[in-house]
Structure formats: structure tokens, C-alpha cells
Amino acid sequence: MTESTEPRAERSTIRDQEERLLGGPPTLDVEEMAAAVGIPTQVLRVYWRSLGFADVPEGVKHFTQVDVDGLKAIVNLVLTDAVNLDTAQDLVRAQGHSMDRLVLWQVESLVADARHRYHLDDTSARLVVLDRLAVIGPVLRDQLGYVWRRQLAALLARMDKDVALSKDTATTDRLPLERAIGFIDIISYTSRAARLAPTELSSLMQVFESGARDVIAAHGARVVKTIGDAVLFVADDLETGAMVATGLIDVMDARGLPIRGSVVWGRVLSRSGDVFGPVVNLASRLSDLAGPASILMDDVSAALLEGMDGASMFSFEELQPVDVHGLGEVRPVRLARHATSEEAQ
């Protein structure tokens, strides 16, 4: 057997962290794990893949009692008819996808912190994080539970509002949710990124994403996803969406990041943490058409906003109609927000 080139001390630290997280060393292979839960091996494999993990070879001790308890909890939901099997698999897939992104984001943030704080190279910074996780990990775990409760409470409040608004208008042939959908992206990102060193590119994206998330959250809107140099966000009303979009222009300009974007109003379907529907495509296409430091709307969304109480905060400039592939003729309207007295000073 070839001896691993990984330093023994580092392997020991990783093993200690894994055993701390998983309640001890692995003692069960696939068949033993399935037997402990009381399910067929194939069902276990489907569950494991839904979490986002590769198949475990037969005979390999990979699972612990933590794995048994986690799977039993999901199986019990199905056995008690709280959810059906397909829904349980969907819930597991959502958790796996979200946690994969979450732990990567958290660890990379800690690595960047160690790298900058102690002036380390990337490898050394990762070794520092590995040692620090024994202290930081439990805090992140507890924060996960707290934030989940807060996010669920906020979602229930939005759901209550949606139900109240749809009582008299619900139909089966329309998408269920009315939302403001916004896109923003960095202008000339590809050429800019090509000129940057890795650390500079990382800093650029940190400035962009943190700035975008702060503005979006401050107004009560929500980030749906980031797509490289772009952010898709959603707001419950059009005024909020317009405030977010125009606010992002100002904030990014102050940070030396030229952006463009769009905001439109319409019905969407929410699925797997994402939003779908023609209005999402419209927002994306309008963002592509926008010039530097510009926010575009379609004429229907602009007319709706002009009829709202907060319309006096904005200016509207009708542009020439354009033919957009898949959507037909679109009449763009450039949206801008009037500077407040504080901003004008």
C-alpha cells in the first residue's frame, strides 16, 4: 500500500475533527447502516445521493450512529404519513444542496480571515482553520438552528400575506406568487476579472456580493441566487424592488463597481429555492439591455409603479421598443431614483 503524502499530524487533526462531528469513527458499512435503520440498501443509497454524496463502496465502514439517527428521523416522517417518500427525498435534497453551499461559504470565509489576519499563504491558512474549527464549529452549528427558526418565521409571515391576498383571485391557470424580480450584474466583468490576481478577484466578488446582500436585506427583499457576476433578487412589492435596484446602483458606484440591472413585476413559481416564470426571463433580458448604472423596467411594470404612492421618488424615461428573442416586442423604461436631501449634500 502506498503511504499517503499527507502529513501525519494533518491527517490526525482531520480525523479528530471528523470524529467530533460524527460522534466517533465510522463503524457501519452500507448494508449495516441500512439494517440499523430498517430500510433496503437501495433506499439508503438514494438518500445518500440526495444529500449530495458519492456512493459508498460495499464493505467500507463509512457511517456512524449520527448517520443512523439522521436517516431514521426522515424515515419516521414517511412511516407516520407526515410526508410521502417523494417529498421526503425532496426535503433531503434541499438540505444537502443548501448545506454543501453553506459549509463551503463558511470555511472559505474563515480561510480568507486567517490568510489576511496572519499574512499566510492559502495552504497555511487552511491548516489554521482546521485547528480553529473545534471552537468555531459549535457556534456555527448553533447559529444554524437560530437562523433557520428566524427564516421560517419570516416565511410564514409572507405566506400568511400571500394567502390573504389570493383568497378572492386564486385560479388554477396562473402562477401563484406576485413578486418584484430584479437582476443586477457587473459591467465588463470578464475583461476586468482577466486582469486581476486571484486574491484581487476574490476581494472584488466579496465587495460585490456583500454589498448586494446588505442592500437587498436592508429593504426587506431577498437574494434568490448569485450567478457569477450577477445577483437575482425578489421583493414582495414593486416599490421595494425599485428601491433595491436603484439603491444597488448607488452603493456599487460608491465602491467603484459599475453595474446595470432591471426590476419587473409579475407572477412566479417558487421551487427548490428558485423562482421561475416569464417575468424572470424578462428581468434577465432587460438587464442585458441596460446601459452602465441603469435600471430598466418593462412599460407595464413602470406604469404600475407610477401609480403607487412612492412614485414621486422615481423618474421614468421611456426608451425605444426592442424585439427580444422569445418575448417579442418589449418597451423598456429607464428607472432612476431622485436623490434625497441627505444624498444631495
Side-chain angles (χ1 to χ4, degrees), residues 17 102-118 120-122 124-140 206:
Q17 292 285 11
L102 177 62
V103 297
L104 177 61
W105 189 338
Q106 291 175 330
V107 170
E108 292 300 332
S109 295
L110 293 172
V111 169
D113 174 70
R115 192 170 57 237
H116 295 147
R117 185 183 302 195
Y118 305 118
L120 299 173
D121 61 85
D122 189 77
S124 299
R126 292 179 186 278
L127 293 175
V128 169
V129 170
L130 191 59
D131 288 331
R132 293 172 63 191
L133 279 175
V135 174
I136 298 175
V139 177
L140 298 179
Q206 174 66 20

Tab-separated table of all heavy atoms in Angstrom, residues 17 102-118 120-122 124-140 206:
chain	number	residue	atom	x	y	z
A	17	GLN	N	-11.348	15.950	13.898
A	17	GLN	CA	-12.492	16.814	13.596
A	17	GLN	C	-13.666	15.996	13.070
A	17	GLN	O	-14.818	16.220	13.459
A	17	GLN	CB	-12.085	17.869	12.549
A	17	GLN	CG	-11.083	18.900	13.035
A	17	GLN	CD	-11.716	19.933	13.954
A	17	GLN	OE1	-12.860	19.781	14.393
A	17	GLN	NE2	-10.973	20.974	14.255
A	102	LEU	N	-23.438	26.118	2.149
A	102	LEU	CA	-23.233	26.841	3.404
A	102	LEU	C	-21.866	26.546	4.013
A	102	LEU	O	-21.123	27.467	4.372
A	102	LEU	CB	-24.339	26.490	4.400
A	102	LEU	CG	-24.200	27.121	5.790
A	102	LEU	CD1	-24.251	28.641	5.701
A	102	LEU	CD2	-25.286	26.599	6.720
A	103	VAL	N	-21.522	25.261	4.146
A	103	VAL	CA	-20.247	24.938	4.790
A	103	VAL	C	-19.071	25.407	3.933
A	103	VAL	O	-18.036	25.840	4.470
A	103	VAL	CB	-20.128	23.427	5.106
A	103	VAL	CG1	-21.193	23.004	6.110
A	103	VAL	CG2	-20.206	22.569	3.850
A	104	LEU	N	-19.215	25.347	2.599
A	104	LEU	CA	-18.152	25.854	1.734
A	104	LEU	C	-17.974	27.351	1.939
A	104	LEU	O	-16.839	27.844	2.081
A	104	LEU	CB	-18.489	25.551	0.272
A	104	LEU	CG	-17.495	26.078	-0.763
A	104	LEU	CD1	-16.112	25.462	-0.554
A	104	LEU	CD2	-17.995	25.813	-2.175
A	105	TRP	N	-19.065	28.075	1.966
A	105	TRP	CA	-19.022	29.526	2.161
A	105	TRP	C	-18.375	29.847	3.514
A	105	TRP	O	-17.495	30.727	3.616
A	105	TRP	CB	-20.447	30.068	2.102
A	105	TRP	CG	-20.579	31.574	2.082
A	105	TRP	CD1	-19.659	32.493	2.507
A	105	TRP	CD2	-21.698	32.320	1.613
A	105	TRP	NE1	-20.135	33.762	2.344
A	105	TRP	CE2	-21.388	33.685	1.791
A	105	TRP	CE3	-22.933	31.967	1.072
A	105	TRP	CZ2	-22.283	34.711	1.451
A	105	TRP	CZ3	-23.807	32.977	0.734
A	105	TRP	CH2	-23.486	34.329	0.910
A	106	GLN	N	-18.796	29.152	4.562
A	106	GLN	CA	-18.275	29.433	5.891
A	106	GLN	C	-16.782	29.144	5.994
A	106	GLN	O	-16.016	29.962	6.519
A	106	GLN	CB	-19.055	28.622	6.931
A	106	GLN	CG	-20.490	29.090	7.112
A	106	GLN	CD	-21.270	28.202	8.060
A	106	GLN	OE1	-21.018	27.001	8.176
A	106	GLN	NE2	-22.241	28.787	8.746
A	107	VAL	N	-16.365	27.993	5.495
A	107	VAL	CA	-14.947	27.635	5.587
A	107	VAL	C	-14.089	28.576	4.755
A	107	VAL	O	-13.017	29.020	5.196
A	107	VAL	CB	-14.735	26.166	5.171
A	107	VAL	CG1	-13.237	25.862	5.017
A	107	VAL	CG2	-15.346	25.230	6.207
A	108	GLU	N	-14.548	28.916	3.553
A	108	GLU	CA	-13.773	29.836	2.721
A	108	GLU	C	-13.675	31.209	3.364
A	108	GLU	O	-12.647	31.893	3.247
A	108	GLU	CB	-14.383	29.945	1.321
A	108	GLU	CG	-14.273	28.671	0.496
A	108	GLU	CD	-12.833	28.231	0.266
A	108	GLU	OE1	-11.930	29.089	0.259
A	108	GLU	OE2	-12.604	27.020	0.110
A	109	SER	N	-14.707	31.647	4.058
A	109	SER	CA	-14.642	32.921	4.778
A	109	SER	C	-13.614	32.857	5.895
A	109	SER	O	-12.854	33.811	6.126
A	109	SER	CB	-16.020	33.276	5.348
A	109	SER	OG	-16.957	33.518	4.320
A	110	LEU	N	-13.579	31.734	6.606
A	110	LEU	CA	-12.603	31.565	7.681
A	110	LEU	C	-11.182	31.501	7.132
A	110	LEU	O	-10.240	32.035	7.738
A	110	LEU	CB	-12.915	30.300	8.481
A	110	LEU	CG	-14.214	30.328	9.296
A	110	LEU	CD1	-14.507	28.953	9.878
A	110	LEU	CD2	-14.135	31.379	10.407
A	111	VAL	N	-11.020	30.859	5.982
A	111	VAL	CA	-9.689	30.788	5.347
A	111	VAL	C	-9.226	32.183	4.951
A	111	VAL	O	-8.068	32.565	5.191
A	111	VAL	CB	-9.714	29.852	4.122
A	111	VAL	CG1	-8.425	29.979	3.314
A	111	VAL	CG2	-9.911	28.401	4.566
A	112	ALA	N	-10.130	32.959	4.350
A	112	ALA	CA	-9.770	34.328	3.960
A	112	ALA	C	-9.407	35.157	5.182
A	112	ALA	O	-8.459	35.957	5.152
A	112	ALA	CB	-10.930	34.970	3.194
A	113	ASP	N	-10.140	34.966	6.262
A	113	ASP	CA	-9.845	35.692	7.504
A	113	ASP	C	-8.452	35.347	8.023
A	113	ASP	O	-7.663	36.229	8.380
A	113	ASP	CB	-10.899	35.353	8.556
A	113	ASP	CG	-10.586	35.960	9.911
A	113	ASP	OD1	-10.673	37.191	10.033
A	113	ASP	OD2	-10.237	35.199	10.839
A	114	ALA	N	-8.135	34.050	8.071
A	114	ALA	CA	-6.819	33.625	8.545
A	114	ALA	C	-5.706	34.108	7.624
A	114	ALA	O	-4.626	34.518	8.081
A	114	ALA	CB	-6.776	32.100	8.673
A	115	ARG	N	-5.961	34.073	6.340
A	115	ARG	CA	-4.952	34.491	5.366
A	115	ARG	C	-4.615	35.977	5.532
A	115	ARG	O	-3.447	36.355	5.550
A	115	ARG	CB	-5.464	34.217	3.954
A	115	ARG	CG	-4.403	34.335	2.874
A	115	ARG	CD	-4.909	33.809	1.531
A	115	ARG	NE	-6.112	34.498	1.092
A	115	ARG	CZ	-7.259	33.897	0.813
A	115	ARG	NH1	-7.376	32.582	0.932
A	115	ARG	NH2	-8.307	34.593	0.404
A	116	HIS	N	-5.640	36.796	5.702
A	116	HIS	CA	-5.412	38.239	5.822
A	116	HIS	C	-4.923	38.620	7.219
A	116	HIS	O	-4.061	39.485	7.358
A	116	HIS	CB	-6.701	38.992	5.498
A	116	HIS	CG	-7.139	38.816	4.070
A	116	HIS	ND1	-8.464	38.798	3.695
A	116	HIS	CD2	-6.424	38.631	2.939
A	116	HIS	CE1	-8.545	38.627	2.383
A	116	HIS	NE2	-7.320	38.518	1.910
A	117	ARG	N	-5.472	37.978	8.232
A	117	ARG	CA	-5.119	38.362	9.595
A	117	ARG	C	-3.678	38.004	9.942
A	117	ARG	O	-2.974	38.786	10.592
A	117	ARG	CB	-6.067	37.680	10.581
A	117	ARG	CG	-5.841	38.114	12.026
A	117	ARG	CD	-6.738	37.373	12.988
A	117	ARG	NE	-8.156	37.564	12.671
A	117	ARG	CZ	-9.146	37.262	13.505
A	117	ARG	NH1	-8.850	36.766	14.697
A	117	ARG	NH2	-10.385	37.440	13.161
A	118	TYR	N	-3.251	36.836	9.479
A	118	TYR	CA	-1.922	36.361	9.856
A	118	TYR	C	-0.918	36.403	8.701
A	118	TYR	O	0.198	35.908	8.839
A	118	TYR	CB	-2.030	34.928	10.397
A	118	TYR	CG	-3.005	34.804	11.539
A	118	TYR	CD1	-4.143	33.993	11.424
A	118	TYR	CD2	-2.824	35.502	12.721
A	118	TYR	CE1	-5.059	33.886	12.458
A	118	TYR	CE2	-3.736	35.399	13.765
A	118	TYR	CZ	-4.850	34.592	13.628
A	118	TYR	OH	-5.755	34.495	14.658
A	120	LEU	N	-0.822	34.820	5.738
A	120	LEU	CA	-0.442	33.453	5.410
A	120	LEU	C	-0.734	33.143	3.951
A	120	LEU	O	-1.571	33.789	3.313
A	120	LEU	CB	-1.223	32.466	6.295
A	120	LEU	CG	-1.012	32.581	7.808
A	120	LEU	CD1	-1.992	31.653	8.518
A	120	LEU	CD2	0.423	32.238	8.179
A	121	ASP	N	-0.049	32.121	3.425
A	121	ASP	CA	-0.450	31.578	2.132
A	121	ASP	C	-1.705	30.738	2.323
A	121	ASP	O	-2.108	30.434	3.453
A	121	ASP	CB	0.682	30.731	1.532
A	121	ASP	CG	1.024	29.551	2.418
A	121	ASP	OD1	0.357	28.507	2.310
A	121	ASP	OD2	1.950	29.687	3.251
A	122	ASP	N	-2.333	30.345	1.224
A	122	ASP	CA	-3.632	29.669	1.300
A	122	ASP	C	-3.552	28.353	2.071
A	122	ASP	O	-4.417	28.060	2.906
A	122	ASP	CB	-4.163	29.412	-0.112
A	122	ASP	CG	-5.591	28.905	-0.108
A	122	ASP	OD1	-6.505	29.723	0.084
A	122	ASP	OD2	-5.795	27.689	-0.278
A	124	SER	N	-1.382	27.365	4.415
A	124	SER	CA	-1.191	27.600	5.849
A	124	SER	C	-2.468	28.106	6.499
A	124	SER	O	-2.795	27.734	7.635
A	124	SER	CB	-0.050	28.600	6.065
A	124	SER	OG	1.164	28.110	5.543
A	125	ALA	N	-3.203	28.956	5.779
A	125	ALA	CA	-4.452	29.478	6.323
A	125	ALA	C	-5.459	28.357	6.548
A	125	ALA	O	-6.188	28.347	7.541
A	125	ALA	CB	-5.030	30.529	5.374
A	126	ARG	N	-5.493	27.377	5.643
A	126	ARG	CA	-6.423	26.259	5.800
A	126	ARG	C	-6.048	25.391	7.002
A	126	ARG	O	-6.921	24.851	7.688
A	126	ARG	CB	-6.472	25.428	4.514
A	126	ARG	CG	-7.118	26.187	3.373
A	126	ARG	CD	-7.189	25.427	2.056
A	126	ARG	NE	-7.698	26.319	1.017
A	126	ARG	CZ	-8.983	26.580	0.820
A	126	ARG	NH1	-9.899	25.968	1.564
A	126	ARG	NH2	-9.363	27.419	-0.137
A	127	LEU	N	-4.779	25.255	7.271
A	127	LEU	CA	-4.352	24.497	8.445
A	127	LEU	C	-4.756	25.217	9.728
A	127	LEU	O	-5.146	24.572	10.715
A	127	LEU	CB	-2.836	24.286	8.408
A	127	LEU	CG	-2.320	23.370	7.291
A	127	LEU	CD1	-0.795	23.339	7.288
A	127	LEU	CD2	-2.888	21.962	7.435
A	128	VAL	N	-4.683	26.538	9.721
A	128	VAL	CA	-5.126	27.310	10.883
A	128	VAL	C	-6.622	27.108	11.112
A	128	VAL	O	-7.077	26.885	12.246
A	128	VAL	CB	-4.808	28.803	10.690
A	128	VAL	CG1	-5.501	29.650	11.767
A	128	VAL	CG2	-3.304	29.034	10.729
A	129	VAL	N	-7.403	27.177	10.036
A	129	VAL	CA	-8.848	26.985	10.153
A	129	VAL	C	-9.163	25.587	10.678
A	129	VAL	O	-10.066	25.407	11.505
A	129	VAL	CB	-9.532	27.225	8.796
A	129	VAL	CG1	-10.996	26.796	8.829
A	129	VAL	CG2	-9.421	28.700	8.415
A	130	LEU	N	-8.420	24.613	10.217
A	130	LEU	CA	-8.632	23.238	10.662
A	130	LEU	C	-8.508	23.137	12.179
A	130	LEU	O	-9.301	22.461	12.839
A	130	LEU	CB	-7.616	22.319	9.980
A	130	LEU	CG	-7.830	20.818	10.096
A	130	LEU	CD1	-9.172	20.413	9.517
A	130	LEU	CD2	-6.698	20.085	9.401
A	131	ASP	N	-7.540	23.825	12.729
A	131	ASP	CA	-7.357	23.818	14.187
A	131	ASP	C	-8.438	24.613	14.906
A	131	ASP	O	-8.865	24.250	16.001
A	131	ASP	CB	-5.984	24.386	14.543
A	131	ASP	CG	-4.849	23.432	14.190
A	131	ASP	OD1	-5.092	22.208	14.208
A	131	ASP	OD2	-3.738	23.907	13.901
A	132	ARG	N	-8.889	25.699	14.274
A	132	ARG	CA	-9.845	26.591	14.940
A	132	ARG	C	-11.274	26.065	14.907
A	132	ARG	O	-12.131	26.527	15.673
A	132	ARG	CB	-9.806	27.974	14.285
A	132	ARG	CG	-8.497	28.728	14.485
A	132	ARG	CD	-8.445	29.995	13.656
A	132	ARG	NE	-9.472	30.932	14.038
A	132	ARG	CZ	-9.788	32.026	13.331
A	132	ARG	NH1	-9.141	32.261	12.201
A	132	ARG	NH2	-10.719	32.842	13.739
A	133	LEU	N	-11.564	25.096	14.030
A	133	LEU	CA	-12.937	24.627	13.883
A	133	LEU	C	-13.488	23.970	15.142
A	133	LEU	O	-14.699	23.932	15.350
A	133	LEU	CB	-13.038	23.661	12.701
A	133	LEU	CG	-13.149	24.317	11.320
A	133	LEU	CD1	-13.111	23.276	10.223
A	133	LEU	CD2	-14.426	25.152	11.217
A	134	ALA	N	-12.605	23.456	15.984
A	134	ALA	CA	-13.080	22.852	17.230
A	134	ALA	C	-13.801	23.875	18.098
A	134	ALA	O	-14.748	23.543	18.824
A	134	ALA	CB	-11.896	22.248	17.994
A	135	VAL	N	-13.384	25.131	18.014
A	135	VAL	CA	-14.014	26.204	18.786
A	135	VAL	C	-15.134	26.870	17.994
A	135	VAL	O	-16.222	27.133	18.518
A	135	VAL	CB	-12.960	27.263	19.190
A	135	VAL	CG1	-13.623	28.454	19.873
A	135	VAL	CG2	-11.915	26.641	20.098
A	136	ILE	N	-14.879	27.126	16.704
A	136	ILE	CA	-15.833	27.876	15.891
A	136	ILE	C	-17.003	27.007	15.435
A	136	ILE	O	-18.139	27.473	15.333
A	136	ILE	CB	-15.115	28.485	14.670
A	136	ILE	CG1	-14.042	29.460	15.137
A	136	ILE	CG2	-16.097	29.184	13.740
A	136	ILE	CD1	-13.195	30.026	14.015
A	137	GLY	N	-16.749	25.717	15.170
A	137	GLY	CA	-17.784	24.834	14.646
A	137	GLY	C	-19.061	24.800	15.469
A	137	GLY	O	-20.167	24.962	14.913
A	138	PRO	N	-18.981	24.604	16.807
A	138	PRO	CA	-20.216	24.567	17.597
A	138	PRO	C	-21.013	25.869	17.524
A	138	PRO	O	-22.243	25.849	17.560
A	138	PRO	CB	-19.694	24.307	19.022
A	138	PRO	CG	-18.400	23.586	18.814
A	138	PRO	CD	-17.808	24.211	17.594
A	139	VAL	N	-20.334	27.002	17.419
A	139	VAL	CA	-21.036	28.280	17.292
A	139	VAL	C	-21.796	28.334	15.968
A	139	VAL	O	-22.969	28.736	15.924
A	139	VAL	CB	-20.039	29.454	17.384
A	139	VAL	CG1	-20.770	30.787	17.180
A	139	VAL	CG2	-19.317	29.443	18.721
A	140	LEU	N	-21.140	27.910	14.890
A	140	LEU	CA	-21.810	27.899	13.581
A	140	LEU	C	-23.002	26.950	13.591
A	140	LEU	O	-24.044	27.251	13.001
A	140	LEU	CB	-20.812	27.492	12.496
A	140	LEU	CG	-19.612	28.421	12.288
A	140	LEU	CD1	-18.705	27.868	11.197
A	140	LEU	CD2	-20.068	29.834	11.952
A	206	GLN	N	-16.171	39.614	-3.175
A	206	GLN	CA	-16.610	39.838	-1.798
A	206	GLN	C	-17.296	41.196	-1.668
A	206	GLN	O	-18.353	41.322	-1.041
A	206	GLN	CB	-15.412	39.760	-0.844
A	206	GLN	CG	-15.723	40.131	0.600
A	206	GLN	CD	-16.656	39.152	1.277
A	206	GLN	OE1	-16.793	38.014	0.835
A	206	GLN	NE2	-17.296	39.584	2.347
